[in-house]
Amino acid sequence: MTLAEILAGLFPQGHSVTVRDGLVTGAGRFADGTLHVVGVDGDTPLGVDGALVLSRAVLDAVRAGDKAPILVVVDSDSQRMSRRDELLGLNECLAHLAKALLLADRSGHPTIGLIYGHSAAGAFIATALATRILAALPGANPSVMDLPSVAKVTKLPLDKLQEMAKSTPVFAPGLDNMVATGAVHVVLDPGKPLDGQIRDLIANLKPGDDRDRLGEERGGRPVARGIGAAVIAQAGRG
Amino acid sequence: MESLTFRHTTKKPLPGSVPNAITGVVASGNLEILLERVLPPDACEVAIETPIAGYGAVWEAVVADFVARAQPGGLRISINDGGARPDTVSLRLLQGARLMEA
Amino acid sequence: MTEWRAERQARDARIQAGRAHADGKVVPAGSVIDLLEAVLRPGDRVCLEGDNQKQADCLARGLAACDPGKIHDLHMVQSGIVLPEHLDVFETGIAKRLDYSYSGPQGARIAKMLYGGQIQLGAVHTYLELFARYFVDLTPHVALIAGVSADRDGNLYTGPNTEDTPTVVEATAFKNGVVIAQVNQIVDTVPRVDIPGDRIDFVVEADTPFYVEPLFTRDPAAMTETQILIAMMAIKGIYAEYGIRRLNHGIGFGTAAIELLLPTYGEKLGLKGQICTHWALNPHPTLIPAIESGWVKQVHCFGSEVGMDRYIRARPDIFFTGADGSLRSNRAFCQTAGLYACDMFIGATLQIDLMGHSSTITQSRVAGFGGAPNMGSDPHGRRHPSDAWMKAGREGQIVGDPALMRGRKLVVQLVETFGEKLVPTFVETLDALELAKKIGLELAPVMIYADDVTHIVTEEGIANLLLCRDADEREQAIRGVAGYTDVGRGRDRAKVEELRARGVIRRPEDLGIEPLDADRALLAAKSIKELVHWSGGLYEPPAKFRNW
Amino acid sequence: MAGVRPASTDPDALSWYEATARQRVVALADPGTFQEFLPPTERRMSPHLPLFDLPRAFDDGIVVGRAALDGKTVLVAAQEGRFMGGAFGEIHGAKLVGLLRAALTLKPAAVLILFDTGGVRLQEANAGETAIAETMRAIIDVRAAGIPVIGLIGGRAGCYGGGGLIAGTCSRLAASEGGRISVSGPEVIETNKGAEEFDSRDRALVWRTMGGKHRRLIGGADAFCADSVSAFRKAALDLIGRAPAFDLATLEAEQARLESRLARFGDCRDATDVWARLGVNDPEAVPAMDTRAFDETVSRVREADHDAR
């Protein structure tokens, strides 16, 4: 699904969402109110400049105080890899964007991630993974690193990694594996109207972070939830 | 990964009452050693996990020398090896025993 | 009638042919190939200056680009095979025969080319030995050398890395040879004259400054507890025991650890002024804390080290410097100093066999030895006594008239029982022997022969081979410090304990050293940055060693 | 663990850069007060590393627990940069997440995170990445509850990848010269964009661009420490006392601060250009400055101190 198709599905009555340099901002009429949209389109890497454009849009929405939901649409590259970005504090800018989304969530704005293309590493963490609930469309391709690069770093043969990837979701790229770890909550049905599915997600938002529970249930992160719970239990023992 | 376990009988227990200690870090050419005072006072067990296969005889010799020297009775010693050289292993084992004696 | 001036006339003809590409003596970088093709003749002996550090790289590139139809079958006589071009010339046929000393970075390729027959090898020499042959039977027809700057008359400033240059020029210029120097810069007046202009025939202004490798910088951050333990044993069990004042160090981490322990551990032992006062040594950055703490009286250098220039300029009481203030090194003199004026050589090696023969050559690499065999040998021509030398002599003397006893140089091998990737240092048979067979060398490339070695220090202890009375004792003394290698585990335990009782083998506890005290906190500097602090900001480490 | 007695526990003598995670924690805390959760004796080791034939660590490369700092209870997490580059694996990340969530009920005086990480552990990449996202959310929850989260950065592995993003989420950061904070590592940039973009072997460039001094000067870190445990302890105590709130005003201020940074320095090629514009007299001299001289330099740079985080 393209961004245009997504927007058309969400906003049959039209919208003000624009894409500039791969950065998505705007809003549209949704249900009985507004749906803010921010994000990255076209496999664009996210650098310091883009992160601040998006965070600006999120903070504007929070300041407006309408508690309207914010949809974070993502088809991005990884973070922009450059000397300039790191010199200017890419870590601060990406973290700032994530904080803006987390603040919005805390301030009563339901935040929903929608990954419909690629995303990786820092760009993924600062956008889609900083939402309350992350949905994906079939064909989305989130990853930390592609397998050839993993092969290079781990010095393991690519064919062996490909074989391992089939049975071990914890390291392999791809949507199924991100679903299994609990990072992606739900995969939407492209055959059904998108607006209804998003509306249902918003209506059923639950408090707390349940990604480790999902990871345990789906088998992609077998031990994380238990470990976290054990730390809490031991910390509570005084 | 290769797993090795060596069991020894010692003439005496390791002095001190520290229940457990850990020393070293799993890194290239290094290792971590976890020592626990959980065995009968004349027993010592050393269990090793190493990524480098084929050095069983060297490990056996290093452990035997350590046991003869430190008399670590009562200790279960668990090693996560990152490819450490035998001299590093010896040094860490002695460091660990010293921590337990304190 | 006998012709007595044929060489001189040939030389004049070469120079005249070269002048066509020069303005006076000065040749632009772009004309190097023309110049070389004009001056060189097939079959010439050529010294392409490849030192331990300084490289005549512009001239090397030029030589490699010459037309093999015009220039071929050269006989290369040079101490270092360092740059790829040094071997490229053998692939194209420009060169055929080789006599050299050291080939660190090209060690693997040289082995392959020797095996493939592309190189006809004369011999792998020590530095001093090769220099000696420059004056006897390997005198260069043409020398291609490197310096920092020259004036238009050819007066040459080598910079702190004088290294081999005076020796090469001496042998070439005074025996009808042609000397071509590449310099980074042509200047009106050189800072100091290292080589007078009448010994230089052509000066090439190089396109880029000549390459220098920081070979002697050891990052204290990488030093291990094991290396520190070995260093403690060496200081207490050898330096203090023999009162070593005049010495040479190898370039490994073990000796660097010793340098860093002098102001801490050595100070605690009260050894300041008693040991390590006079050195034949490159300006090792790790020696800075000892120098700053007043341990070191003076240091003569083979070459320089990248980043040490400002520090050396500020310490003329310690180093040999020119009127311009910069270091004057000289490999031939410093090797001689190491051979005759030092009581001890201490360094590392890759393999030691059951008798104590050692080599840095493995089956796939012919690295050469540089100066180690010089410094690591007992010079039978020495005629001046010192306490250390005499004590070693007494220990080693088994039979004979005590009145005719002479001293003995200490030659110490400082090794960890296992090297990188758990490769054992102690072996039954040196790989060098296998390699010699494979490529048909008449003389196996042994770095230090067993009869020159006096001590072996490992993390397990010190073996004093001077005290061994027969081959069996010697073997067990070596096995007795060989740790958990196959050689070490193959020891005769009873014999080893007997040797220990006699002090032939000494363990850390025999020396009063607790292995668990071998802590990095003992290092006078734990990082390159701390070396910079010790130097008062004068040491300027190369970028790859920085972490700030 | 009661038995943990590192070779050196003297916080003045112990180099942060050289110390292990466990040594840092023990020496940082009031003597004898550190109490570890899921200690090595529990052997909570990675279920995934054996598939890659890689050795595991008893604590999966992170030490978490409770300690007293000047008598006040704090929760502490310390990454071990020498084990797998301190990278986030499933257990490693879950221990940090659990610790932060525990803070919500325990209400400690602060949570301290001793970063030493290259980012995500590739062998457990999806778990590590998700854990980083969970960590950031948990940090925000803790901050919003009025509990400062303080990051301390000065280890061998630096603070890279997702670790850099987590650091950017903390209330306050202290860094030493050895510490580096960045998203893409020098080798990653070089591999992807070429040595012309970033020569990873130029160590001075690495530290100028990502090191503690640069981060401190531009306001990316709130304190600069000498490389000792006692310096980090002092910085942590100071920073706990002046942590910014987490609210819209703070983030609006951070937005303005970062926008202004891009506007002022966006065309700079090198850190020295940035420092010159910040009003540093002799930018070239900054890398060689000792802590005292650097502190003086920082005190004249207005951008270095702020509550916009």
Side-chain angles (χ1 to χ4, degrees), chain C residues 126-254:
Chain C
T126 78
Y127 287 129
L128 214 42
E129 187 181 15
L130 182 65
F131 295 161
R133 290 190 69 189
Y134 284 167
F135 294 94
V136 179
D137 63 338
L138 292 181
T139 307
H141 295 105
V142 177
L144 309 175
I145 63 167
V148 167
S149 59
D151 63 23
R152 305 191 70 83
D153 296 328
N155 290 304
L156 185 75
Y157 171 54
T158 59
N161 282 95
T162 307
E163 302 194 66
D164 303 13
T165 313
T167 311
V168 172
V169 173
E170 182 92 6
T172 311
F174 292 104
K175 193 60 175 62
N176 302 311
V178 178
V179 178
I180 301 173
Q182 75 166 68
V183 295
N184 300 345
Q185 219 185 346
I186 305 242
V187 294
D188 289 336
T189 312
V190 289
R192 74 169 185 234
V193 179
D194 286 300
I195 308 290
D198 63 0
R199 299 174 199 176
I200 307 277
D201 301 300
F202 296 98
V203 176
V204 175
E205 191 163 23
D207 34 11
T208 51
F210 63 76
Y211 176 71
V212 186
E213 172 78 14
L215 273 179
F216 311 114
T217 302
R218 294 291 168 265
D219 188 343
M223 265 165 213
T224 64
E225 293 143 315
T226 299
Q227 286 157 352
I228 291 165
L229 174 62
I230 295 174
M232 290 165 74
M233 284 194 274
I235 290 174
K236 204 165 177 186
I238 296 178
Y239 289 59
E241 200 96 343
Y242 292 87
I244 307 291
R245 291 169 196 246
R246 301 178 294 167
L247 73 163
N248 166 257
H249 268 188
I251 65 172
F253 273 95

Side-chain angles (χ1 to χ4, degrees), chain C residues 268-345:
Chain C
K268 211 171 74 187
L269 296 176
L271 295 172
K272 187 165 157 183
Q274 311 300 308
I275 62 167
C276 299
T277 50
H278 297 76
W279 299 73
L281 190 76
N282 279 308
H284 291 183
T286 40
L287 195 62
I288 291 172
I291 293 172
E292 295 302 302
S293 307
W295 279 69
V296 176
K297 295 274 178 277
Q298 71 177 52
V299 181
H300 185 256
C301 302
F302 309 91
S304 187
E305 178 60 345
V306 181
M308 287 290 281
D309 295 348
R310 275 178 65 214
Y311 179 72
I312 292 166
R313 278 176 182 276
R315 299 289 181 272
D317 286 357
I318 304 295
F319 294 98
F320 288 72
T321 52
D324 65 313
S326 69
L327 179 75
R328 164 77 180 202
S329 58
N330 187 310
R331 175 149 290 107
F333 287 152
C334 198
Q335 289 284 337
T336 309
L339 182 58
Y340 281 104
C342 289
D343 289 329
M344 182 177 75
F345 162 79

Side-chain angles (χ1 to χ4, degrees), chain A residues 48-49 51-53 55-56 59-60 62-63 77 79-96 98-103 105-106 111 119-126 129-133 142-145 149-150 152-154 156 160-161 164 168-174 177-178 181-183 208-213 220-232 234-238, chain D residues 35-39 42 44 47-48 51-52 64 66 75 90-91 94-95 97-99 101-102 105-106 120 122-134 136-138 140-141 143-145 162 164-170 173 181-185 188-189 191-193 196-198 205 208-210 214-215 218-220 246-248 251-252 254-259 261-262 265-271 274 306 309:
Chain A
V48 288
D49 316 87
L52 292 189
V53 169
S55 61
R56 168 93 272 157
L59 291 177
D60 285 348
V62 175
R63 194 170 349 92
D77 196 355
Q79 75 271 9
R80 192 165 63 197
M81 294 173 186
S82 81
R83 180 173 164 181
R84 174 177 177 271
D85 281 281
E86 296 304 342
L87 183 68
L88 294 171
L90 181 61
N91 78 302
E92 286 182 85
C93 296
L94 292 180
H96 175 70
K99 283 188 285 189
L101 287 166
L102 292 166
L103 175 76
D105 178 42
R106 295 190 63 84
T111 54
S119 189
F124 193 33
I125 297 171
L129 285 175
T131 56
R132 157 100 10 201
I133 189 165
S143 68
V144 176
M145 194 185 260
S149 304
V150 175
K152 213 159 91 184
V153 177
T154 58
L156 288 170
K160 185 180 177 200
L161 282 175
M164 288 167 71
T168 315
V170 75
F171 81 95
N177 298 314
M178 275 297 174
T181 56
D209 190 339
D210 62 352
R211 287 176 283 195
D212 52 357
R213 182 183 56 76
R221 268 199 302 162
V223 298
R225 193 208 56 80
I227 291 285
V231 170
I232 294 171
Q234 292 190 14
R237 262 181 235 149
Chain D
Q35 185 192 346
E36 185 168 354
F37 308 145
L38 306 198
E42 294 197 18
R44 307 275 191 152
H48 311 296
L51 294 172
F52 294 85
V64 299
R66 176 206 340 255
L75 295 183
E90 179 170 356
I91 290 180
K95 284 170 81 174
V97 171
L99 185 82
R101 291 181 184 164
T105 46
L106 283 173
V120 167
L122 282 181
Q123 293 81 359
E124 308 178 23
N126 301 332
E129 183 129 309
T130 311
I132 286 166
E134 290 169 333
M136 290 169 68
R137 176 177 288 272
I140 292 312
D141 290 344
R143 286 186 60 182
L165 270 76
I166 297 175
T169 317
C170 291
L173 295 179
I181 310 170
S182 185
V183 186
S184 313
V188 173
I189 301 177
T191 305
N192 285 285
K193 304 291 167 186
E196 308 75 37
E197 176 64 25
F198 205 113
L205 169 68
R208 258 191 342 267
T209 310
M210 304 168 171
H214 176 59
R215 293 297 176 226
I218 63 170
F246 184 79
D247 55 21
L248 179 59
L251 288 195
E252 289 278 19
E254 182 169 57
Q255 178 80 29
R257 174 173 76 86
L258 296 174
E259 282 178 358
R261 182 191 292 170
L262 297 200
F265 312 121
D267 61 339
C268 290
R269 171 73 181 151
D270 195 277
V274 176
H306 56 81
R309 187 184 302 291

Side-chain angles (χ1 to χ4, degrees), chain B residues 30 52 55 57-58 61-66 69 81 83-88 90-92 94-96 98, chain C residues 224-227 229 416-424 459-460 484 486 489 493 509 514-518:
Chain B
N30 211 330
I52 304 186
Y55 280 81
V58 175
V62 172
V63 170
D65 281 356
F66 164 73
R69 186 163 169 176
D81 177 41
R85 296 186 297 194
D87 53 280
T88 309
S90 286
L91 191 67
R92 292 274 174 271
L94 290 172
Q95 282 171 343
R98 187 193 257 189
Chain C
T224 64
E225 293 143 315
T226 299
Q227 286 157 352
L229 174 62
E416 298 170 63
T417 54
F418 285 89
E420 299 272 305
K421 295 186 177 159
L422 284 166
V423 175
E459 72 275 4
E460 202 188 3
Y484 294 100
D486 287 347
R489 284 182 290 130
R493 283 181 173 258
E509 52 266 44
E514 164 58 65
L516 295 183
D517 291 343

Side-chain angles (χ1 to χ4, degrees), chain C residues 33-34 36-37 42 62-73 92-94:
Chain C
I33 298 169
D34 294 336
L36 293 176
E37 288 183 350
L63 183 64
C66 281
D67 177 358
K70 293 181 193 157
I71 310 298
H72 48 86
D73 297 323
T92 54
I94 290 174

Side-chain angles (χ1 to χ4, degrees), chain C residues 520 529 543-544 546-548, chain D residues 18 177 201 203-204 207 287:
Chain C
R520 283 180 45 80
K529 176 92 184 196
K544 72 171 177 179
R546 288 176 53 147
N547 59 355
W548 65 91
Chain D
E18 296 227 340
E177 181 157 63
R201 286 165 311 166
R203 313 283 290 161
W207 258 266

